[in-house]
Amino acid sequence: EASDDPTVFPSKAISRMNIEHHENDTDTKESGDLIEQACHHLSRGRNDNALQALRDALLHAREKLNCAKQDKDDFYFQKKLPIDEEDELEDEQEDRLDANLRSAASEMANILNNIGVVYELEGEYHRAMNSFRDALDVYRKMCHRYENAGDCDVDKTVNNIMQMGLAMKTHEKRQGLHN
């Protein structure tokens, strides 16, 4: 009988991770390399190493997000008032800063989702659920990305939350049988 249990088939767990590559962005590439390392560790059953690689990627993503926030804050602080004809250039700059902020937040949300997958493999269901929920919060609040809108990363995270909810209920029922 075939199994969908990610602890038996690590490739199943990896398929539930949000993995994106941006070769042109050096910062994102570094996080991408760490995520790739995590997948490599998972495929060989080295969950602790995978979790550490993802934690390192999360630190890097948080730093990138903080820089993007600071850049946007600096832009607003230096913005001129009243509004004049040079606003078109400022609008373009503001759009770029918004895109950088959303990109950094998306990277962070993807990593949080991936950390949840590893926690699930470790049987740490509550930590996994918290990580999945944190990822979804970042997608919604900072990236303005939502489920059921054709966004595969967000949809994977929502699916992970639903699967984790079922796993937690099953786990609690099994524990109840032994008490």
Side-chain angles (χ1 to χ4, degrees):
E1 180 179 325
S3 172
D4 282 343
D5 185 355
T7 59
V8 177
F9 295 103
S11 61
K12 179 70 175 174
I14 293 169
S15 72
R16 293 179 46 215
M17 295 175 74
N18 295 338
I19 304 168
E20 61 179 42
H21 297 281
H22 300 280
E23 297 300 324
N24 298 337
D25 184 346
T26 307
D27 290 337
T28 303
K29 184 174 181 336
E30 185 176 325
S31 292
D33 290 346
L34 288 166
I35 292 169
E36 201 171 295
Q37 286 176 16
C39 290
H40 176 78
H41 289 307
L42 276 180
S43 70
R44 285 165 177 61
R46 297 188 300 255
N47 297 352
D48 289 341
N49 296 52
L51 191 56
Q52 186 57 52
L54 289 170
R55 285 180 178 145
D56 292 345
L58 183 60
L59 287 174
H60 191 269
R62 281 191 177 134
E63 183 179 311
K64 182 179 173 186
L65 179 62
N66 288 336
C67 287
K69 286 179 180 178
Q70 186 64 50
D71 289 346
K72 191 166 179 183
D73 289 346
D74 291 347
F75 172 77
Y76 284 126
F77 183 70
Q78 296 171 7
K79 199 168 185 177
K80 299 182 300 233
L81 291 177
I83 299 174
D84 59 19
E85 294 83 34
E86 295 177 8
D87 285 339
E88 190 170 319
L89 291 175
E90 286 185 353
D91 289 347
E92 289 175 14
Q93 183 179 4
E94 185 174 3
D95 290 344
R96 276 193 306 277
L97 292 169
D98 283 338
N100 290 343
L101 185 63
R102 283 190 308 274
S103 173
S106 291
E107 182 179 341
M108 192 169 100
N110 288 341
I111 294 167
L112 286 166
N113 175 79
N114 299 347
I115 287 173
V117 171
V118 178
Y119 280 144
E120 180 182 359
L121 287 172
E122 293 292 309
E124 296 185 42
Y125 299 136
H126 289 285
R127 288 178 106 179
M129 182 64 93
N130 288 339
S131 193
F132 293 141
R133 286 180 177 154
D134 289 346
L136 189 58
D137 283 347
V138 172
Y139 284 131
R140 288 174 175 166
K141 293 176 182 173
M142 297 184 77
C143 306
H144 307 290
R145 295 171 62 186
Y146 303 95
E147 58 272 21
N148 301 321
D151 188 319
C152 64
D153 290 338
V154 177
D155 290 342
K156 270 187 191 179
T157 300
V158 169
N159 188 48
N160 289 342
I161 290 170
M162 291 188 304
Q163 287 183 358
M164 184 52 45
L166 292 172
M168 289 171 72
K169 285 179 185 176
T170 303
H171 180 71
E172 289 170 3
K173 284 181 184 178
R174 282 195 313 257
Q175 283 184 326
L177 293 173
H178 300 287
N179 290 336

